[in-house]
Amino acid sequence: MKAVQINDFGGPEAMKYQDVADPTPGESEAVVRIQAAGVNYTDVYSRAGINPGPPLPRTIGVEGAGVVAALGSGVSEVSVGDEVVYCSVNGSYAEQALVPAWRLIKRPAGLDAKAGAAGMLQGMTAHYLCNSTYAVQPGDRVIVHAGAGGMGLILTQMIKNMGGYVFTTVSTEEKAQMSREAGADHAIIYTQEDFAEVVKDATGGEGVQVVYDGVGKTTFNQSVSCLGRRGVMALYGAASGNVDPVDPRMFAAGSLYLTRPGLGDYTVDRAELEQRAGDVLGWVADGSLKLHIGHELPLSDAPEAHRLLESRATTGKLLLIP
């Protein structure tokens, strides 16, 4: 089969589209014939050697949707022929992937592979952020960075459905309009305005209850300055680079909280995974959560997909199609 692998860490050019051995399922494993693979910033970290992962050579990608093609022994969660989606398992940039069966979620009737791959990782991340990391209450004011990205668009919709007031940050008016269409109350074009000043003015200096920040280095300090008393800084990614070392005293004024959450700790067992995925995929299937797929590229164009993602030239979700 064909897969996108790295033999050494590096830039997008480190990824090679090449022949690899077909996978064989072991106990409690399934082989999934991939129909669509999601592209996420965690894939960039894996390619660059920032994230831990399997030894090299390594097949990139942690999110896919497809059809179960083969099963190992002891599998009860799925059957051959089931249409499934999964995330948080390495190796989705491929024609076939080997996946622990407990991580596979059957797609709701009518939900195609592209929607499944576009909604799984970002949808469940948004779900745990606004339901568990900081449970948004009606009237809460929040900041969502990268408001026109796949995560930002999904998270904004969820927060609005919970009754929150959403500030987003975006780089262009076009992205601001997309963010507003997803429900943002105030889209701030950070290339033209200081988002921290805008938020402080708009809240009368009171600040926000939570900042959901997947950008990291370039937004962190200003984000903390936007928090009101007992506010939560939820740093779930580092698209602009890792945050500089932090002095805990910066959180003393206002008794602020800092957390660095990850999806794995919010999908620790089958029951929690099914609950979060069931909510997200059900909302996508019934139309109450809308996905925006910005780009679809052939699997062989994975290096170009990463270039687009890292240049912030994308909106919504980016998919690779075998």
Side-chain angles (χ1 to χ4, degrees):
M1 71 170 187
K2 294 289 188 182
V4 175
Q5 288 198 324
I6 56 169
N7 297 296
D8 297 290
F9 299 120
E13 70 283 352
M15 295 187 291
K16 306 299 181 184
Y17 183 65
Q18 57 195 32
D19 290 313
V20 302
D22 289 353
T24 300
E27 184 178 0
S28 302
E29 293 180 327
V31 172
V32 177
R33 188 175 73 253
I34 301 294
Q35 296 171 316
V39 178
N40 299 284
Y41 241 96
T42 189
D43 306 341
V44 173
Y45 306 149
S46 180
R47 186 206 73 216
I50 298 170
N51 278 357
L56 299 178
R58 178 188 302 176
T59 301
I60 299 296
V62 296
E63 177 182 39
V67 177
V68 177
L71 298 175
S73 61
V75 173
S76 59
E77 295 87 353
V78 293
S79 301
V80 171
D82 283 347
E83 296 180 333
V84 294
V85 63
Y86 71 92
C87 68
S88 303
V89 179
N90 288 294
S92 66
Y93 289 16
E95 293 178 333
Q96 299 179 72
L98 192 63
V99 183
W102 79 270
R103 301 290 314 184
L104 293 172
I105 298 295
K106 296 179 185 179
R107 301 201 308 264
L111 188 72
D112 65 18
K114 292 178 181 178
M120 187 67 168
L121 189 146
Q122 292 178 336
M124 287 202 299
T125 299
H127 190 285
Y128 83 69
L129 284 172
C130 65
N131 284 279
S132 301
T133 300
Y134 176 84
V136 174
Q137 303 300 310
D140 279 349
R141 296 183 295 253
V142 311
I143 296 174
V144 174
H145 286 303
M151 255 298 299
L153 294 171
I154 292 173
L155 183 54
T156 296
Q157 291 176 73
M158 288 189 187
I159 295 168
K160 290 307 300 177
N161 287 339
M162 300 169 83
Y165 183 98
V166 182
F167 295 94
T168 61
T169 62
V170 296
S171 59
T172 67
E173 176 55 37
E174 177 187 10
K175 291 184 176 182
Q177 184 57 35
M178 288 186 62
S179 181
R180 295 183 197 108
E181 290 172 358
D185 297 283
H186 194 151
I188 304 166
I189 303 175
Y190 65 81
T191 54
Q192 301 175 11
E193 302 177 283
D194 183 309
F195 76 83
E197 291 183 2
V198 172
V199 169
K200 289 172 187 175
D201 288 345
T203 62
E206 292 184 0
V208 299
Q209 278 69 49
V210 60
V211 179
Y212 297 115
D213 189 351
V215 176
K217 187 178 181 69
T218 61
T219 53
F220 182 82
N221 288 340
Q222 284 180 292
S223 294
V224 173
S225 75
C226 293
L227 290 171
R229 184 173 287 111
R230 297 201 301 251
V232 176
M233 180 67 196
L235 181 70
Y236 68 90
S240 69
N242 289 324
V243 172
D244 293 331
V246 172
D247 183 342
R249 288 175 296 183
M250 73 183 295
F251 296 92
S255 300
L256 309 178
Y257 296 85
L258 168 64
T259 180
R260 180 57 173 88
L263 180 57
D265 292 315
Y266 288 88
T267 52
V268 295
D269 55 30
R270 179 74 180 177
E272 189 171 33
L273 174 65
E274 286 185 320
Q275 184 258 320
R276 294 198 193 280
D279 282 351
V280 172
L281 298 178
W283 295 333
V284 175
D286 69 20
S288 56
L289 178 63
K290 306 205 179 291
L291 303 176
H292 175 75
I293 299 174
H295 291 78
E296 297 177 24
L297 296 175
L299 179 62
S300 56
D301 284 351
E304 177 62 17
H306 278 218
R307 291 186 191 100
L308 288 169
L309 189 65
E310 290 182 275
S311 69
R312 302 192 183 183
T314 62
T315 56
K317 188 70 174 186
L318 199 158
L319 298 178
L320 292 173
I321 310 298

